[in-house]
Amino acid sequence: MLEVRDLHAYYGKSHILQGVSLDVNAGEIVSLLGRNGVGRSTTIKAIMGEVEPHGSIKFKGQEIAGLKSHSIAQLGLGYVPENRDIFPTLTVRQNLLLGQKSARNTGRWSMEDMFELFPNLRDRADTPGGVLSGGEQQMLAMCRTLMGDPDLVMVDEPTEGLAPQLVEKVAELLNEIASRDLSILLVEQKLTIALKISARVYVMGHGEIVFEGTPEDLRRNEAVRQEWLEV
Amino acid sequence: MEVFLFSTFNGVLYGMLLFMLASGLTLIFSLMGVLNFAHASFFMLGAYFAYQISTYTGFWSALLVAPLIVGLVGALVERYGLRPVHRFGHVAELLFTFGLAFVMEEVIQMIWGKVPVPYDVPELLNVAAFEWRGLQYSAYRLFMLGVSVAIFVALFLFIAKTRVGLMIQAALSHPQMVQSLGHDVPTIFMWTFGFGCALAGIAGVIGGNVLGTEPSMAITLGPIVFVVIVIGGLGSLWGALIAALFIGIIDNLAITFDVSIYPLFALFGVAREAEGIMSDLVNLTSGGISPVLPYLMLVLMLIFRPRGLFGTRDV
Ligand SMILES: Nc1ncnc2c1ncn2[C@@H]1O[C@H](COP(=O)(O)OP(=O)(O)OP(=O)(O)O)[C@@H](O)[C@H]1O
Ligand SMILES: [Mg+2]
């Protein structure tokens, strides 16, 4: 579904991604783990075309490196950014509507689905997105991206700053998403939900992939966890 | 009393014209960060196009067609002028629009000459709509008011209710997010620019035959439009509306009631019979200072409330 090969990216002169390669297969949840500042968000942004990518990125067999991010989204790649980017003056419903790629929703997720998953959002359907709590904004951000009916969603640190029971809720939603035949590339810092729901994990350190394997492999590999994950 | 009412009425009318220019300017600014110095030139373009078209097929078709062409020209300017300049930063964009304003003025002079063109109010509306205590009010002015109010309502509905309007609102704060949801933001920018220019074009079509269609009309009105959006608060449509009406009304009243501004000086104890330089100042009237009033307000606003009436950020 997604094949990234030897991806490099730069901010000005600093060389942030130094040859990242990773794969996400159809229907799979894959996690990209690592400490602060190692370049996980930059990897997703480069895939999405928000940061200029150097290297090869194939999505559903098509080379997407160099395309504009709206064209990439149109191909079926969804992105939920780290800071959620809720449109603050628009209502919850309007935020969701803008997730749709065209005026008519023909995808596998309806607004009703979203409201059933998160009754909170239904209650607040007509409030401006900007006044929602952090947790509600996270749910809204994910639902908004799903409204565009992506085949693969990249979610950047969805559990950051959330209370434990909300973290559970996020894990539930991610499983629900995967059960509808979507692939997920999940960026996380903590191992909590990542090890539980992922089929495979990558660990990143200083702009490179330093480990690749199943959650079970990572659990057993004390050395990698100590050097690249624990603080 | 009736003079006061008529003058206020004219002020509202002038204010609505200013708003038609200011709304596009402020929308473009808040969306794209571009202060379009050439904005009033699109107003002028609207007037000239309307004149030309009306010589062939009359005013009513000009009212429809001229703004469309102006909008198209605006969209092309964004696509092939502004967008390539964009990556060199906002200063480059500013200089680009600055240059564009002069280019457009020169081109218009080359085509239509330096003297005003005879673009007149359509026959049908060149009558008095009503007469009240001996004062006549022209039907065309009522028509202008109707058009500008209709545009204003349509603009607000468009921004608040339509899908594209929502995208524009969302792109005000998070253009990149809008784009990663699959919406073509550069194209939205292009058409918003064109749309803003078309609004200025409409103002030119309905205002050109009253204010006079000549090559200097952009330079005359342009700075006042900037004053309007600064006073209203950059990026705020409501602010632009209030400020435009305010300036329109103040300007008309100051001219109509040509009162002496001496009391202002009296406040500071300056004698009426002051000598030398002061003697000219104390004898000024409000009509005499009306051209400078908007700029005075601009300066005061920048000193005391730099974000304007409804703005969310400083200038
Ligand atoms: N806009 C930017 N300009 C310059 N440098 C940046 C920019 N964004 C990120 N960086 C730098 O790039 C590196 C990687 O950042 P990135 O956001 O990808 O990290 P991350 O792994 O997502 O970590 P976290 O989200 O916890 O900060 C960091 O050193 C960061 O300082
Ligand atoms: Mg990050």
Side-chain angles (χ1 to χ4, degrees), chain B residues 15-30 39 148 151-152 155-156 159 192 195-200 203 225 228-229 235-241 244:
Chain B
M16 289 306 287
L17 273 187
L18 286 178
F19 173 74
M20 265 195 255
L21 280 124
S23 55
L25 186 61
T26 211
L27 200 61
I28 289 166
F29 171 76
S30 47
H39 199 68
S148 53
I151 295 284
F152 160 76
L155 177 64
F156 270 83
I159 301 272
T192 305
F195 179 68
C197 293
L199 285 181
V225 178
V228 167
I229 68 167
S236 163
L237 278 181
W238 282 112
L241 177 69

Side-chain angles (χ1 to χ4, degrees), chain A residues 89-134:
Chain A
T89 55
L90 303 190
T91 65
V92 167
R93 193 189 305 276
Q94 290 171 330
N95 267 276
L96 289 173
L97 281 176
L98 282 193
Q100 283 171 216
K101 296 205 175 78
S102 58
R104 287 203 34 212
N105 185 355
T106 50
R108 62 199 111 172
W109 305 86
S110 69
M111 193 165 307
E112 200 47 41
D113 289 342
M114 301 303 162
F115 288 158
E116 255 154 49
L117 281 167
F118 300 106
N120 267 12
L121 292 184
R122 190 202 302 276
D123 298 341
R124 319 213 62 184
D126 296 309
T127 29
V131 305
L132 299 188
S133 72

Side-chain angles (χ1 to χ4, degrees), chain A residues 14-156:
Chain A
S14 41
H15 192 173
I16 304 291
L17 298 185
Q18 313 184 343
V20 172
S21 298
L22 55 83
D23 291 272
V24 182
N25 302 315
E28 208 180 30
I29 303 186
V30 173
S31 290
L32 182 58
L33 304 168
R35 293 210 181 102
N36 283 118
V38 294
R40 295 161 301 154
S41 300
T42 308
T43 304
I44 309 198
K45 284 182 184 160
I47 296 172
M48 204 61 210
E50 290 194 359
V51 169
E52 195 189 338
H54 302 263
S56 159
I57 307 168
K58 285 213 172 97
F59 179 59
K60 296 197 257 186
Q62 181 181 349
E63 184 62 52
I64 58 170
L67 294 186
K68 295 248 166 48
S69 42
H70 64 91
S71 314
I72 294 174
Q74 290 285 354
L75 290 174
L77 198 51
Y79 169 49
V80 184
E82 197 168 11
N83 38 17
R84 290 146 198 180
D85 285 350
I86 294 304
F87 308 131
T89 55
L90 303 190
T91 65
V92 167
R93 193 189 305 276
Q94 290 171 330
N95 267 276
L96 289 173
L97 281 176
L98 282 193
Q100 283 171 216
K101 296 205 175 78
S102 58
R104 287 203 34 212
N105 185 355
T106 50
R108 62 199 111 172
W109 305 86
S110 69
M111 193 165 307
E112 200 47 41
D113 289 342
M114 301 303 162
F115 288 158
E116 255 154 49
L117 281 167
F118 300 106
N120 267 12
L121 292 184
R122 190 202 302 276
D123 298 341
R124 319 213 62 184
D126 296 309
T127 29
V131 305
L132 299 188
S133 72
E136 289 168 332
Q137 290 198 352
Q138 183 62 53
M139 304 306 165
L140 177 56
M142 290 201 280
C143 291
R144 181 179 60 185
T145 298
L146 290 178
M147 293 290 284
D149 197 25
D151 297 313
L152 187 157
V153 212
M154 303 190 287
V155 194
D156 199 347

